[in-house]
Structures are given as C-alpha cells and as structure tokens.
Amino acid sequence: MLKILIISTSQMNGGAAIAANRLMKALNGNPEVKARMLVRDCGIADAAVAAIPHGVVARLRFIWERGVIWMNNRFSRNHLFEVSIANTGFDVTLTEEFRESDVIHIHWTQQGMLSLKNMKKIFNSGKPVVWTMHDMWACTGICHYSDECDKFQTQCSNCRYLRGNRTKDLSFVTFNKKRKLFDSVDFNIVTCSHWLESKALSSALLNAHPISCIANAIDTAVFKPHDRMEVRRQLQLPSDKPLILFASQKVTDKRKGIDYLVEAAHLLKARNYDVEFIVMGSNADQVAALLPYPVHAMGFVSSVEKAAMMYQAADMFVTPSLMDNLPNTIAESLACGTPCVGFDIGGIPEMIDHLQNGYVAQYKNTADFTAGIEWILNCRNKEALGQAAVSKALSSFSQEVVASQHIELYKALIQDKR
C-alpha cells in the first residue's frame, strides 16, 4: 500500500485547496494507494484529513507573516495578499501522519502553514517530495503571480508589489533564501499547466529540479451533463433566456477580470442580446449591481452538487481572468457539457479548445471576449459543442486519469530512492 501525505494550508478554502482535496479523493479511488491530507484549516469532517494544532499560536503565525510584509511595504495594505514569505510555520515532520507516509506531496502552504525552514526539514527527511505549484510563488521571490515581470528568471529585487523602490528589498532577501535552500535539496515539481511549467523551467530557482505537468482532477460523477431545463426548474431559473455563468471564490477580485465582464455585458446590451447572468461566489450582489441585465446572484456555494447544477443550467461559462494557472471552474464547466469563454492567458488556452468547446479571446480584448460570447449564443450545433466539452474534461481532468499520472510519478520516485 502506497501511503501519500498531501500538505495544504486549507482543506477546501480556495482553488488550490480544492484541487489538493480532489487529488486525495482521486488517489483513494485506487486500491494501491492510501492518501491523507494534513492541513491547518479544516472544513468538512473527513477521517482522511488531519489538522495541525490550530489555536492562538497558529493565528499568531499568520499575523506575523502578514505583519512583516506590511512593515516591508511601508505600512501599506496594498498587495498584502498577493505576496508571501514563508517566514513562519509548523514542523509537520513531528506528526504521525508524516512519519507513516511514503511520499510527501506539498501543495499551497502559505500564510503560516509551512516556513522555508519547515520545508527544509521535509526535504531532508529522506522521503520523496513532490511539490505541486498552483501559482508562481515557488519560482519567484515573494509574488504569487509576476504579471509581466521576469526578474524571477535571474534575481528578484525592487518588487512591484512593495513600496520603496529598494534593490535589496523583501523579494531580494526571500529569493536568496529560497535559492540557498533549493540548491541544497532534492524535490520534484508538478505544475498543473504547461504555462506554469514554462515559468518554472525559466526560473533561476527551479530549473535544476525535475518538473512534470499534471492537471488538477475533478469528480466527473458529480460534474456531468444533465437536462438543462430540468435543472433550471429546480433552481427556479428562467427557461426562456440564455444564461451566462460567471463564478469565482470572490467575484469582485480584480484579477478575475470583473471590469472586462461588465464592459462585455454592456456591448451585448447595445447589440440587443436578451440574456441573463448567473453569478456564483462571494460578493455576487455587488456584481449584480454592475451588469445591465437581470442577475441571479447565488453567492458562495459550498455544495459541489449545487455548484454542478449552476454549470448544468447555464448556456456558457465566462472567465475574464487576467492571471490564472488551471482554473477548476473551467474544468467543472466543461465536464458539465457547458462551453467556456476566457482570455488567452495562463493555462486557460490549454483547457478551452478554441472554436471546439469554447472561445479563447485575445488577452484584455473586451471586443473579442464579447465576440466569444456571441459565437456561443449563435452556435447552430450546441449539442456538438457540449459533447466536445465533456470529451475534453474526461480525457484531461478525470480522477482516474490524474490519479494514475500521480501514482506513476510516486512509484518512480520511490524506486529512485532505493
């Protein structure tokens, strides 16, 4: 029995945590594997998920890390959660879950879960270590997404996310701490998209480490096609209007491109399209006030079954995200047979096959993004579009496919250790 320990800050809060939790479940669907999660923040009760002590000390770790960033940013809250420094955390090597595991699989562990010193103990434990990147943090000094900055390819400094224009700033110091650590230990990187893989390969921090690309898994037994009109009836949604779905954990997050969605909606209105919107995620009511169409504000949906119904009810899913790795939302939508529209950024064009299961618009081009929505609205063969979406999801993101790729990697690493 192959024992895998997945380490994540959260069990279910955020896209990276959801992806890690889904991987655990996918792995546990294989009789050769027993996977567990070790987290700081628990959500749903699950015997396979263990939590580190989560009291005052854990809260102080979080405050200390954010406080150091705040002080180094000249006491400004700007970009406070767009960077991390891993200066404090929990020694997971002391736990029973760690000792009993054959392979350690690190996921998103910021905000006080693991420090760089904690990670060094994991790397030096003698166990094979896999580290899945859900954003760029592993290959930069401090930022989760570098946008147009390419300093991570040589040496981070004078970070755009920090005030002060200092060469030897917090990004410079943290980058050098990472370089010293990463150069002295062995671990294997997994990226969820080829876009992120290219970033890791070009980074001065990671280009000497083995890098594999394996997508995130989704449960295609939950996210699957269903009768659209029946789902709309259950959700009390209109049956006579095209419905456009926009979803994110926080829909007002500027990085998720809300401004572009609003502009596109106004273009649709000017062209007399009669549609309505479904908005799923926190702050959905705020988005409803910005769109010139009726909006069904669903708020944050914790039930995966209900979330699947949102995709099943919609005619399309739109994601004007300005920076993303491999959005769970697109995979979920495709699995439900719902075509998608997104910008040509990050891992999005690896998920949406242009003019086959959706539309990939030119980056930050509202007119082209709107053209993508129109293309789906006017598509004559929507059934073929939906079938192509499902086919993509099953071949790329199903639990069976993703679990088998990870298990193959784990076995190879264990064999190399012998």
Side-chain angles (χ1 to χ4, degrees):
M1 178 71 70
L2 187 59
K3 296 180 180 179
I4 311 299
L5 180 63
I6 294 172
I7 303 176
S8 169
T9 298
S10 174
Q11 178 187 1
M12 290 293 289
N13 186 23
I18 291 171
N21 190 275
R22 288 176 176 174
L23 174 59
M24 178 190 71
K25 292 179 179 178
L27 292 171
N28 283 332
N30 187 303
E32 297 182 66
V33 179
K34 180 181 179 181
R36 299 198 67 185
M37 281 187 80
L38 183 63
V39 303
R40 185 191 67 191
D41 302 331
C42 277
I44 304 169
D46 189 333
V49 179
I52 63 172
H54 185 44
V56 174
V57 174
R59 181 64 180 168
L60 289 176
R61 289 193 189 104
F62 169 80
I63 294 172
W64 173 241
E65 190 207 23
R66 294 301 113 183
V68 171
I69 296 168
W70 176 64
M71 288 185 287
N72 278 270
N73 198 22
R74 303 287 178 90
F75 306 103
S76 169
R77 290 179 58 86
N78 290 342
H79 310 301
L80 184 60
F81 287 93
E82 294 174 67
V83 301
S84 295
I85 56 175
N87 64 331
T88 182
F90 183 82
D91 185 359
V92 298
T93 64
L94 300 177
T95 66
E96 180 181 355
E97 290 80 13
F98 186 93
R99 291 193 298 269
E100 291 181 349
S101 298
D102 300 310
V103 177
I104 307 302
H105 195 154
I106 300 170
H107 284 256
W108 201 92
T109 56
Q110 305 310 311
Q111 300 183 6
M113 178 63 185
L114 292 182
S115 69
L116 291 176
K117 289 182 178 179
N118 297 148
M119 296 183 78
K120 184 175 182 179
K121 287 189 174 183
I122 294 173
F123 296 143
N124 288 335
S125 68
K127 297 176 183 286
V129 179
V130 177
W131 185 358
T132 289
M133 294 172 59
H134 293 279
D135 55 31
M136 290 180 62
W137 186 82
C139 68
T140 68
I142 60 175
C143 70
H144 293 281
Y145 288 98
S146 69
D147 293 331
E148 303 302 318
C149 176
D150 61 3
K151 292 178 184 176
F152 69 93
Q153 296 179 5
T154 51
Q155 171 70 62
C156 285
S157 65
N158 192 16
C159 182
R160 62 189 294 274
Y161 289 111
L162 299 174
R163 298 173 65 184
N165 298 319
R166 291 166 293 158
T167 299
K168 294 186 177 181
D169 62 3
L170 191 60
S171 71
F172 177 91
V173 173
T174 308
F175 189 92
N176 285 337
K177 287 180 179 178
K178 287 183 177 180
R179 191 201 298 267
K180 183 179 179 181
L181 170 59
F182 296 172
D183 286 351
S184 66
V185 294
D186 294 324
F187 57 89
N188 291 258
I189 289 289
V190 168
T191 64
C192 305
S193 68
H194 291 292
W195 166 79
L196 195 53
E197 179 184 30
S198 70
K199 297 297 184 183
L201 287 169
S202 65
S203 168
L205 294 177
L206 297 180
N207 57 20
H209 292 274
I211 300 172
S212 306
C213 183
I214 305 177
N216 294 330
I218 58 170
D219 187 350
T220 52
V222 174
F223 294 97
K224 60 184 179 181
H226 198 74
D227 183 88
R228 182 171 283 112
M229 291 303 110
E230 172 60 22
V231 174
R232 289 187 182 189
R233 185 190 65 78
Q234 293 180 36
L235 295 174
Q236 297 183 322
L237 294 170
S239 59
D240 60 341
K241 299 285 181 67
L243 295 180
I244 300 172
L245 172 63
F246 172 59
S248 175
Q249 183 178 10
K250 182 181 179 183
V251 292
T252 51
D253 185 347
K254 291 292 185 181
R255 188 168 61 87
K256 296 301 180 180
I258 180 60
D259 294 338
Y260 291 87
L261 179 65
V262 173
E263 290 178 21
H266 281 281
L267 285 176
L268 290 172
K269 191 71 173 180
R271 295 168 189 172
N272 297 314
Y273 282 96
D274 188 14
V275 302
E276 296 188 10
F277 282 79
I278 304 171
V279 178
M280 179 171 61
S282 60
N283 298 341
D285 289 335
Q286 295 180 33
V287 173
L290 300 173
L291 297 176
Y293 283 106
V295 174
H296 306 275
M298 299 299 184
F300 179 75
V301 177
S302 59
S303 164
V304 292
E305 289 78 14
K306 187 173 181 180
M309 293 176 72
M310 301 297 174
Y311 297 108
Q312 293 161 351
D315 290 271
M316 73 184 78
F317 171 72
V318 296
T319 175
S321 183
L322 304 179
M323 186 62 69
D324 240 321
N325 177 20
L326 199 83
N328 292 324
T329 49
I330 294 180
E332 292 164 356
S333 181
L334 294 173
C336 291
T338 303
C340 305
V341 180
F343 283 133
D344 186 6
I345 190 67
I348 290 175
E350 300 173 34
M351 308 180 79
I352 303 174
D353 298 321
H354 187 54
L355 302 182
Q356 295 181 44
N357 57 34
Y359 192 99
V360 180
Q362 296 175 15
Y363 184 52
K364 291 186 176 180
N365 187 327
T366 305
D368 196 28
F369 190 83
T370 309
I373 296 174
E374 292 179 288
W375 181 78
I376 294 177
L377 288 173
N378 297 325
C379 180
R380 294 182 179 180
N381 194 347
K382 289 185 171 60
E383 183 178 349
L385 201 59
Q387 289 173 349
V390 174
S391 177
K392 175 74 172 192
L394 291 175
S395 63
S396 302
F397 312 119
S398 70
Q399 289 183 326
E400 294 78 12
V401 169
V402 174
S404 65
Q405 291 174 330
H406 278 94
I407 292 169
E408 184 178 346
L409 174 61
Y410 299 149
K411 288 182 176 180
L413 296 181
I414 290 173
Q415 186 63 37
D416 288 344
K417 284 285 186 180
R418 292 173 178 169

